């Protein structure tokens, strides 16, 4: 089948959206941007394809009435199981890579101890995987780097303490290996992983076994559908580095505008807070950009800011919002320099302010900056759509809603759970249109 | 204005002429002591070249030196020198480039040291920084300094009051002219001034014709990047000279020829490109990356059809002002009072709106200059107003005049591209809708 | 009245971003008008003579969250115009009938145009002061300029401003300036009794209170403070320079003192004392006001210094006069007048071997640590080494 | 004989030294540095002090003056506080009496200080509120590249074709670095590039304090970074830098602030004693 793919190579995350000829989104994929942009694009695309396979599987199963009405649950299980397979695969890769780095003068005499420590750490990491991917479990992040990294750090710290090995060395081995692992193109063999994941579920549930045949058929079909990459459009911060010809690249502003328009056709103002930039876009009734503003040169108050804060507190970015929401008295924060974020937090805590209040203040500071950029672009008109990674953060959303109402009265505020994909969605639609136009031309010639 | 960045593919007679004029002037400046000439430093806006010529004083414009140095990629270290001497990072980089140049021996583009000025003619017109700049220079050169305070046209009216005019004329009569007489030892001769003003008016007529040629489609000139060259002689040490008259005569002929042939603007790469977007630009250009910046426009088919920067040293097209031999001092006063940055924001805004309409532009681009509060403070509102009044999209970019640290090519390109794509997309769907 | 009470009143005025006291003044009688002005100088006497209340607008301080103001200003422009616009956009100044923008720099100058575009119904005037200091040239221009202001305010107020009105107003302001000078004098004599933050708040109150009330307040304060039991600390004596327009957060002023520096003179709100001598109250009043500005106004960066010989001397002179041990240049970021002036002032300080430090602030600066650090080091070095 | 302690509470590390002073003679008994790494700096300061006392076999009561510097203003147990530049200047003269200026480069700040032969601060400049080009930034990049902070220096020395980071902003510069990695620029060249731009900034700070010759001592954590030291030296060697300063490091540079605090503490202790004596006499 014909597929149109949009890839949004952001400064922190890379997103892909796969769309069919009917403008239906079939799959979305996300990964963290890394130094190898091709890999980032490839991974996000592969993730989108996996998503597409799930969508197709979903359709097929529904059609066949295969899992007695609990199709969603089954597919969820399957997906989690699939993710775990992926995770374990990467973990193994990481372990092997780590081992190779335990050489050189700094490790002299400690190779063996460190090797043993690493084995211990990885064993523990692998053991922790099943509960992490169990039903209802929350993961710190979707990305391997974050999940594995966070756990590695704390396990390694304990390991270092108990074995009196220098923690810095363990950390260093990890740092070296993670970039390498991340930048290795993902292993293929999707069908194999699907198979193993399925086996896994079946192991756990006897009921499933009974339906094995009925499930396998449609699944196989779904996996076998040929997905033709008809047209790919790249956008985002790193778009110029994508290995695409110029006509396959679109400005991220236009893509965000269009993407938001597709999600909410009545959108007139779009705010996107990404890792390093904050943009405010005004679009007309057709999704065409009329005006935009963004920060430049200074990344103060963008998504990365939250990243620094999360690092400082040793928690995941998605845990920040809920913590901040507990605040009753928002601390006033003036400097939003991203790099100073940690220092500011420490300062405030040292002054005896409560963690949640400071966090709430930091969120407010980000949103205040965004409000300025919005105002610069021409203010808010109905409807207003908030996109980008930070839209996933409920504390930020709360502050935003408050400030929007204070300054622009009651307007409809749209936040899609998939809002991080807005840019990629717009790009996919550009891809679809470009291909269609091409089709029209070809038809025209033929006629 | 500058010899090095001159388009090198096509060498029109006017270009050669200008090159020769500039070189001649630098030689005159650096050899002034031998030639027995006196030098005055003064600014582009409110520059009284015709008057200075009456005393045989040569005109040295520190702004022009700064931009020349920027185009030759020398301004960066000069600015840093000045910062090392205690000047803040935050202030206008023209001043710092000038002070840095001084600390490096004041070498003119012809490679010879520029002698110290004999007088500082502080025409305080449209920019606060001028005041401090010459106080700083005075500290250095310890030479006579004469202040000509040109009051700002502050009140939203496009009008010069009699009080303002009288004040300027009185200063000319009782402060400026006596000082120049004293410095030069030459007695003031009003008839000489009238002669010079006559030349000015002639050249101004032709300049206006050239600027207005951009109303053609395609426009034969780029009124911003190219405009910088066209305004050079009028804005600097040549207004009032025969040379300037001749230069504009040649230029006019060449452009008339381009119009006849349906040609677009001359670019540094010479080739003629298809005019896709017609823009009005507000704000000075960036000098450190002038060519790179220009290229971002012509590569995508964007032509600037009108710019306000080409009015900093005098507005001749908008309300038809000309230097007037019959009212010499009055017209000098009105000239100073009417310079672009001496006009209030409502008036500047209206001017942009009119340009947008008169030149059938697709949009307004603001190049906001970090250095220049005179230009920049208020541009965001101007942009909004112009968008609202014309219904055309605007865009905003930020650079600096002569500080290379503030030119971020990727950023600017990103914005320009998005802007052009936006105009394009609007136009297409507009066509569909229509 | 005890000091605490006076200062508390000042603090309330200072923190009130919707200017309720001024609103109350206006509502107290029908037809009352309020005229706002920006730093540094406008002839308050004329506003007063028109029966209007002058309101000093010094930005929004660190308590105002600026949302729309940034939409009007690039990042490299100081903060006061954006917070002032914010005050306007958020209708906090909707009761102000006129606005005067003096000629202090291009930012304030252009703000006058912004105001015109944004609030076309407000009487908005760019107010020019001469840079030529000859009575027959600059003076004459200024008299005419003042005349235009008079007729503008007459139109706004719907009544003539008489000679008697002007004379009375000149006298009221002469008295005000005398008391301002007394407060400054007293502080430089016994800085431990009069913390800089209190003087600041007291002067700041003068930007919102009717001048007569403010003069009374200064009298009360001086009387009260004499009786305060405040002990002298081992601090050094400094002069703060560069904050004549955008104001530092109060915390910054306190931080300087906390770090061991007594501020014995400053250039906050210079409008209170820009005219250094009583204005002649007999004769042609506009001429008198003009002459006072031309002949008896303090030097400040936006004023041209015709005499190159004394360029930059004024600060060193104040240091001497106040017996200060050093200077703290505290200028707002991106403030051209202050920052361009500073090297010239510093040269003179160097010549006269007066130590100084310099840092920049914004009205909403939050981190005081670097300020304390610098002021502290400065104080350390004056204290540890002054005897050596 | 008296004992004094100097504690420098930084943003990256807490440094503690213990001195004994006897008339004009001072002896350095203990030095300790603890990276803060997400711990409470004040608690850490107290712990480190106790460890130092233990090491010297002394108790708190044996200490005549506990002096803090850095962010130790609000520590409860100190006798007095001195501001960082005062202490770094004094510490620098102690470590190397020939130097006439100090560059203190810590986790989040850089300071250039011009001093005289007695350690008096004559002029200084600090980096602004923007975190570009600080130790923290370098540390982040290093971690990204998989390098420990101790390795940075050595690696940077191996650079053959350094790539200079263009962004002013530390965050955007991180992306620049990621870009570089994607263009297969080697870690040494990246690190050296950062060192070069840091060195330029620092030299600029130094020049802004009107220091163009004489010896300058690097203090603070980054003084230990050989790569930065090398880049500084090269920066000076470049005739365009217009400085002929001699860049010096010292193995104990990181303690400069703490040393200065301890010495000033001793000085104040005597002063206070004098004052007390005066009071009693009068
Ligand atoms: N679940 C989440 N909760 C809170 N913040 C999030 C979440 N997911 C992403 N973010 C924030 O979003 C930012 C990335 O946003 P994104 O739009 O992907 O940026 P970019 O396009 O620049 O890569 C991260 O810096 C992070 O702070
Ligand atoms: N051996 C080392 N090599 C390079 N950098 C180091 C070393 N040790 C510490 N650092 C750096 O020094 C910084 C801490 O310096 P320090 O002067 O203690 O700062 P602060 O006073 O702010 O805590 C850290 O950012 C770290 O990167
Ligand atoms: S502020 Fe603007 S007008 Fe004034 S000198 Fe600088 S660049 Fe020129
Ligand atoms: S702070 Fe300085 S630059 Fe800003 S408006 Fe005031 S005088 Fe002008
Ligand atoms: S303030 Fe912070 S976020 Fe902004 S440029 Fe500086 S380092 Fe970057």
């Amino acid at each position: 089948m014909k597929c149109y793919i949009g890839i949004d190579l952001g400064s922190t995350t890379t997103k892909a959206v796969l769309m069919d000829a009917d403008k239906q989104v079939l799959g979305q994929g996300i990964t963290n941007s890394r130094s190898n942009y091709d890999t980032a694009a490839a991974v996000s695309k592969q993730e989108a394809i996996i998503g597409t396979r799930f969508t197709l599987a979903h359709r097929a199963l529904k059609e066949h009435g295969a899992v007695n009405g609990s199709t969603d649950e089954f597919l969820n299980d399957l997906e989690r199981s699939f993710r775990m397979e992926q995770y374990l695969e990467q973990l193994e890769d990481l372990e092997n890579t780590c081992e190779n780095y335990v050489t050189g003068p700094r490790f002299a005499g400690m190779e063996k101890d460190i090797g043993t420590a690493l084995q211990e750490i990885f064993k523990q990491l692998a053991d922790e995987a099943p509960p992490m991917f169990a039903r209802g479990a929350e993961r710190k992040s979707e990305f391997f780097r974050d999940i594995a990294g966070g756990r590695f750090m704390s396990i390694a710290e304990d390991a270092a303490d108990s074995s009196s090995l220098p923690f810095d060395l363990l950390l260093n081995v990890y740092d070296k290996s993670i970039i390498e692992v991340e930048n290795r193109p993902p292993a293929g063999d999707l069908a194999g992983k699907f198979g193993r994941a399925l086996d896994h579920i079946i192991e756990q549930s006897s009921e499933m076994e009974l339906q094995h045949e009925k499930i396998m058929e449609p699944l196989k079909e779904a996996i076998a559908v040929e997905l033709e990459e008809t047209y790919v459009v790249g956008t985002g911060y790193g778009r110029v580095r994508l290995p695409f010809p110029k006509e396959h690249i679109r400005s991220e502003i236009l893509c965000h505008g269009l993407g938001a328009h597709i999600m909410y056709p009545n959108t007139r103002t779009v705010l996107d807070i990404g890792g390093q930039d904050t943009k405010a876009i005004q679009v007309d009734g057709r999704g065409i950009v009329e005006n935009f503003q963004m920060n430049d040169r200074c990344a103060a108050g963008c998504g990365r800011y939250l990243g620094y804060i999360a690092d400082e507190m040793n928690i995941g970015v998605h845990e920040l919002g809920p913590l901040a929401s507990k605040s009753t008295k928002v601390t006033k924060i003036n400097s939003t320099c991203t790099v100073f974020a940690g220092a500011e937090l420490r300062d405030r805590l040292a002054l005896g302010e409560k963690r949640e209040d400071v966090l709430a203040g930091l969120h407010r500071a980000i949103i205040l900056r965004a409000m300025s950029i919005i105002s610069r672009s021409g203010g808010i008109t109905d409807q207003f759509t908030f996109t980008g990674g930070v839209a996933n953060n409920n504390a930020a959303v709360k502050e935003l809603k408050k400030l929007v109402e204070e300054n622009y009265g009651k307007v409809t505020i749209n936040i899609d759970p998939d809002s991080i994909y807005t840019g990629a969605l717009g790009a996919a639609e550009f891809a679809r249109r470009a291909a269609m136009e091409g089709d029209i031309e070809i038809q025209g010639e033929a006629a | 204005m500058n010899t090095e960045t001159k388009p090198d593919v096509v060498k029109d007679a006017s270009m050669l002429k200008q090159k020769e004029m500039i070189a001649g002037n630098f030689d005159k400046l650096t050899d002034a002591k031998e030639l027995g000439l006196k030098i005055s430093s003064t600014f582009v806006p409110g520059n009284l070249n015709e008057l200075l010529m009456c005393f045989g004083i040569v005109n040295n414009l520190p702004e022009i030196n700064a931009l020349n140095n920027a185009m030759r990629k020398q301004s960066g270290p000069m600015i840093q020198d000045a910062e090392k001497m205690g000047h803040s990072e935050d202030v206008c980089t023209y001043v710092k480039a000038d002070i840095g140049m001084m600390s490096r021996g004041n070498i003119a583009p012809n490679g010879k040291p520029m002698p110290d000025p004999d007088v500082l003619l502080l025409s305080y017109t449209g920019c606060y920084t001028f005041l401090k700049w010459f106080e700083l220079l005075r500290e250095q050169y310890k030479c006579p300094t004469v202040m000509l305070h040109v009051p700002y046209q502050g009140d939203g009216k496009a009008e010069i009051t009699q009080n303002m005019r009288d004040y300027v004329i009185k200063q000319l009569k009782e402060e400026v002219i006596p000082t120049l007489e004293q410095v030069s030892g030459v007695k003031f001769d009003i008839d000489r001034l009238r002669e010079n003003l006559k030349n000015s008016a002639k050249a101004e007529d032709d300049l206006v014709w050239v600027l207005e040629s951009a109303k053609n489609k395609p426009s034969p000139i780029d009124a911003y990047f190219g405009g910088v060259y066209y305004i050079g002689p009028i804005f600097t040490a040549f207004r009032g000279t025969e040379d300037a008259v001749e230069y504009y005569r040649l230029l006019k002929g060449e452009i008339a020829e381009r119009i006849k042939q349906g040609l677009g603007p001359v670019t540094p790469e010479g080739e003629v490109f298809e005019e896709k977007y017609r823009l009005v630009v507000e704000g000075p250009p960036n000098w450190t990356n002038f060519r790179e910046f220009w290229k971002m426009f012509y590569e995508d088919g964007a032509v600037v059809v009108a710019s306000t920067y080409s009015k900093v040293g005098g507005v001749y097209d908008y309300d038809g002002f000309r230097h007037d031999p019959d009212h010499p001092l009055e017209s000098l006063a009105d000239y100073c009072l009417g310079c672009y940055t001496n006009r209030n924001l409502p008036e500047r805004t209206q001017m942009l709106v009119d340009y947008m309409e008169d030149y059938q532009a697709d949009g307004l681009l603001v190049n906001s200059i970090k250095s220049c509060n005179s230009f920049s403070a208020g541009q965001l509102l101007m942009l909004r107003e112009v968008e609202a009044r014309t219904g055309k999209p605007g865009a905003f970019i930020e650079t600096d005049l002569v500080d290379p640290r503030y030119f971020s090519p990727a950023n600017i390109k990103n914005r320009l591209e998005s802007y052009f794509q936006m105009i394009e997309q609007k136009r297409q769907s507009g066509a569909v809708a229509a | 009245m005890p000091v605490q009470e006076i200062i508390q009143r000042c603090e309330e005025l200072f923190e009130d971003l919707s200017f309720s006291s001024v609103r109350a003044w206006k509502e107290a009688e029908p037809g009352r008008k309020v005229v706002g002005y920006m730093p540094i100088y406008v002839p308050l006497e004329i506003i007063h003579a028109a029966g209007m209340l002058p309101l000093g607008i010094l930005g929004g301080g660190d308590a105002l969250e600026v949302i729309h103001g940034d939409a009007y200003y690039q990042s490299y422009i100081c903060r006061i115009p954006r917070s002032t616009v914010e005050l306007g956009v958020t209708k906090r100044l909707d009761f102000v009938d006129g606005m005067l923008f003096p000629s202090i720099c291009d930012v304030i100058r252009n703000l006058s145009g912004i105001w015109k575009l944004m609030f076309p119904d407000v009487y908005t005037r760019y107010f020019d002061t001469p840079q030529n200091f000859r009575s027959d040239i600059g003076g004459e221009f200024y008299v005419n300029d003042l005349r235009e202001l008079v007729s503008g305010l007459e139109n706004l107020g719907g009544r003539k401003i008489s000679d008697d009105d002007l004379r009375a107003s000149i006298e009221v302001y002469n008295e005000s300036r005398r008391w301002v000078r007394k407060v400054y004098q007293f502080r430089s004599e016994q800085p431990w009794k009069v913390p800089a933050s209190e003087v600041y708040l007291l002067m700041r109150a003068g930007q919102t209170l009717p001048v007569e009330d403010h003069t009374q307040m200064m009298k009360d304060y001086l009387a009260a403070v004499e009786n305060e039991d405040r002990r002298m600390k081992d601090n050094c004596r400094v002069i703060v320079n560069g904050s004549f327009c955008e104001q530092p957060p109060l915390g910054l002023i306190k931080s300087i003192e906390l770090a061991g520096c007594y501020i014995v003179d400053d250039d906050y709100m210079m409008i209170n004392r820009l005219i250094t001598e009583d204005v002649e109250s007999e004769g042609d009043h506009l001429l008198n006001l003009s002459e006072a500005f031309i002949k008896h106004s303090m030097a400040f960066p936006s004023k041209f210094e015709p005499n190159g010989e004394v360029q930059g001397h004024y600060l060193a002179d104040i240091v001497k006069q106040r017996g200060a041990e050093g200077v703290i240049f505290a200028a707002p970021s991106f403030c051209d007048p202050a920052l361009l002036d500073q090297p010239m002032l510093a040269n003179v300080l160097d010549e006269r071997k007066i130590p100084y430090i310099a840092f920049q602030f914004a009205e909403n600066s939050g981190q005081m640590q670097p300020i304390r650090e610098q002021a502290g080091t400065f104080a350390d070095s004056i204290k540890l080494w002054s005897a050596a | 004989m008296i004992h004094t302690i100097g504690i420098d509470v930084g943003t990256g590390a807490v440094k503690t030294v213990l001195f004994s002073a006897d008339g004009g003679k001072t002896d350095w008994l203990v030095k300790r540095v603890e990276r803060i790494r997400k711990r409470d700096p004040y608690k850490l300061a107290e712990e480190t002090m106790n460890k130092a006392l233990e090491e010297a076999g002394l108790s708190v009561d044996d200490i005549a003056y506990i002096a803090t510097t850095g962010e130790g203003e609000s520590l409860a147990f100190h006798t007095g506080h001195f501001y960082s530049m005062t202490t770094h200047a004094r510490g620098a003269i102690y470590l190397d009496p020939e130097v006439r200026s100090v560059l203190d480069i810590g986790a989040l700040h850089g300071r250039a200080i011009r001093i005289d032969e007695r350690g008096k601060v004559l002029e200084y400049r600090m980096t602004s509120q923007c975190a570009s080009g600080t130790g923290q930034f370098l540390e982040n990049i290093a971690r990204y590249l998989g390098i420990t902070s101790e390795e940075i220096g050595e690696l940077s020395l191996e650079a053959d074709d350094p790539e200079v980071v263009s962004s002013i902003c530390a965050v955007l510069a991180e992306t620049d670095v990621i870009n570089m990695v994607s263009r297969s620029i080697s870690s040494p060249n990246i690190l050296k590039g950062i060192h070069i731009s840091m060195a330029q900034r620092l030299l600029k700070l130094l020049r802004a304090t009107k220091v163009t010759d004489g010896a300058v001592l690097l203090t603070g954590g980054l003084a230990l970074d050989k790569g930065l030291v090398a880049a500084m030296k090269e920066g000076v060697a470049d005739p365009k830098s217009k400085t002929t300063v001699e860049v010096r490091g010292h193995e104990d540079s990181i303690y400069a602030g703490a040393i200065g605090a301890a010495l000033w503490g001793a000085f104040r202790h005597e002063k206070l004693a004098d004052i007390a004596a005066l009071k009693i006499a009068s």
Side-chain angles (χ1 to χ4, degrees), chain B residues 43-59:
Chain B
F43 298 106
V44 169
N47 113 46
L48 300 174
N49 202 50
E50 299 91 341
L51 188 65
L52 289 169
M53 282 163 62
C54 295
F55 302 95
I57 297 177
V58 215
N59 192 345

Side-chain angles (χ1 to χ4, degrees), chain D residues 11 31 35 48 61 67 71 97 121 158 169 197 206 214 230 244 246-247 252 268-269 274:
Chain D
T11 44
K31 55 184 178 188
R35 296 285 279 279
T48 336
D61 301 332
E71 301 191 10
V121 176
E158 290 168 17
C169 169
S197 65
L206 199 60
T244 54
E246 183 198 338
V247 178
D252 289 319
R268 282 303 287 177
H269 176 75
D274 288 351

Side-chain angles (χ1 to χ4, degrees), chain B residues 90 132 138 170 174 368 377, chain C residues 76 134 301 305 311 334:
Chain B
D90 293 355
K132 289 286 129 180
R138 176 177 64 188
K170 223 175 202 174
E174 305 203 15
S368 172
Chain C
Y76 44 77
R134 269 173 58 176
E305 173 55 70
Q311 177 81 53
F334 307 107

Side-chain angles (χ1 to χ4, degrees), chain A residues 126-301:
Chain A
D127 289 347
E128 284 176 359
M132 227 165 22
F133 289 91
R135 252 186 221 186
E138 282 232 5
R139 282 180 300 280
K140 184 178 151 179
S141 152
E142 294 150 89
F143 308 134
F144 180 70
R145 180 187 254 269
D146 301 343
I147 316 178
R151 285 309 297 153
F152 183 98
M153 237 52 91
S154 62
I155 301 175
E157 210 158 325
D158 294 346
D161 278 353
S162 61
S163 63
S164 74
L165 286 169
F167 170 71
D168 285 354
L169 284 185
L170 289 172
L171 184 66
N172 180 231
V173 169
Y174 168 82
D175 284 345
K176 280 202 166 89
S177 310
I178 189 79
I179 344 180
E180 204 172 296
V181 171
E182 249 186 1
N183 284 332
R184 248 194 287 280
D189 185 28
L190 284 186
K193 266 178 269 183
F194 265 110
R196 286 197 295 279
L198 199 58
D199 288 346
H200 223 74
I201 303 181
I202 288 166
E203 258 169 46
Q204 289 170 354
S205 148
S206 50
E207 192 191 331
M208 288 293 168
E209 207 173 344
L210 304 175
Q211 302 181 347
H212 194 171
E213 286 310 307
K214 263 169 94 183
I215 296 170
M216 277 319 266
E217 253 334 287
L219 273 186
K220 267 193 193 137
E221 260 172 51
I223 292 168
V225 174
E226 199 209 336
L227 298 175
E228 177 198 331
E229 290 177 21
T230 315
Y231 204 105
V232 183
V233 162
T235 185
Y237 165 89
R239 63 182 185 276
V240 285
R241 302 204 66 85
L242 282 172
F244 296 174
K246 198 178 168 200
E247 63 274 16
H248 284 248
I249 305 277
R250 288 287 185 292
S251 131
E252 72 225 76
I253 307 282
L254 297 184
C255 289
H256 266 92
L258 187 59
H261 171 78
I262 295 172
M263 288 179 177
Y264 302 98
N266 292 324
T267 295
R268 287 294 176 277
T269 308
V270 186
L271 170 68
D272 174 76
I273 308 186
Q276 290 189 355
D277 48 27
T278 299
K279 8 185 199 286
I281 308 172
Q282 308 287 348
V283 292
D284 70 6
R286 294 156 296 173
I288 296 174
V289 175
E290 301 207 291
N291 203 338
F292 68 91
Q293 283 291 337
M294 57 193 286
N295 66 303
D296 69 350
R297 255 190 267 119
C298 177

Side-chain angles (χ1 to χ4, degrees), chain B residues 380-418:
Chain B
L380 284 157
L381 178 68
M382 288 167 68
L383 178 71
R384 260 199 213 185
E385 283 282 323
V386 173
E387 280 179 336
R389 292 192 211 167
T390 62
K392 300 271 169 61
F396 199 83
I397 52 175
E398 294 175 279
T399 68
D400 189 45
L401 293 161
V402 294
D403 191 338
R405 290 170 297 187
Y406 290 91
F407 190 85
S408 146
N411 222 316
I412 296 167
K413 201 157 170 53
N414 184 5
R415 273 164 202 241
L416 285 177
E417 268 176 13
S418 300

Side-chain angles (χ1 to χ4, degrees), chain B residues 117-134:
Chain B
D118 300 287
V119 60
L120 300 173
L121 173 52
L122 204 188
S123 62
Y124 172 47
T125 303
C127 165
Y128 168 79
T129 303
F130 290 160
L131 185 99
K132 289 286 129 180
W133 191 341
F134 271 18

Side-chain angles (χ1 to χ4, degrees), chain D residues 205-251:
Chain D
L205 271 190
L206 199 60
R207 281 193 306 252
T209 62
K210 307 201 188 78
V211 173
T212 50
D213 54 10
V216 52
L217 183 71
L218 302 188
T219 67
L222 269 82
L224 299 173
D225 184 336
K226 289 187 208 129
L228 181 64
V229 177
M232 296 276 304
K233 289 188 173 156
E234 288 161 23
V236 173
D238 183 346
K240 272 192 286 183
S241 76
K242 287 203 175 163
T243 55
T244 54
V245 287
E246 183 198 338
V247 178
R248 293 188 187 181
H250 188 285
E251 55 182 17

